[in-house]
Amino acid sequence: MMIGHVRWGLGVAGIAAALAMGAPAAGASAVAPVNVPAAEHSATAIDWGWPTAGVWQQGANYNVGDVVSYGGLEYQCIQAHTAYAPDWTPPQTPALWQQL
């Protein structure tokens, strides 16, 4: 199993190393990390199927479905536009944004 830059594995040497680092006592399972060279691992983004929110910015181009955060709330774009003016914030432009 891969977790970050570390491959976790069981083995006699691994258990001994884990016990030396204060791992669980006898009878309990122990797992020790084994360093893995950077070339042997990769990170994969998980697409959970919903958009992630960026912070609303003046001057940004927004497409229908984009999600932004503003004032601690999240909004979804319902009309494509460029946020030209500072008062085009999501709470002030309900024709452009729907609060989630």
Side-chain angles (χ1 to χ4, degrees):
M1 169 176 27
M2 297 289 292
I3 301 176
H5 295 275
V6 177
R7 179 179 291 147
W8 295 87
L10 271 178
V12 174
I15 292 171
L19 290 171
M21 293 186 302
S29 64
V31 178
V34 177
N35 288 331
V36 177
E40 291 185 26
H41 65 83
S42 64
T44 302
I46 298 174
D47 181 3
W48 294 103
W50 58 81
T52 57
V55 177
W56 180 88
Q57 296 179 5
Q58 180 183 348
N61 294 317
Y62 294 104
N63 296 308
V64 173
D66 288 349
V67 176
V68 298
S69 64
Y70 184 85
L73 299 173
E74 290 187 349
Y75 297 85
Q76 187 167 30
C77 180
I78 57 175
Q79 180 177 326
H81 67 282
T82 300
Y84 290 112
D87 61 346
W88 280 25
T89 62
Q92 294 178 324
T93 53
L96 303 175
W97 298 100
Q98 177 182 9
Q99 184 179 335
L100 297 177

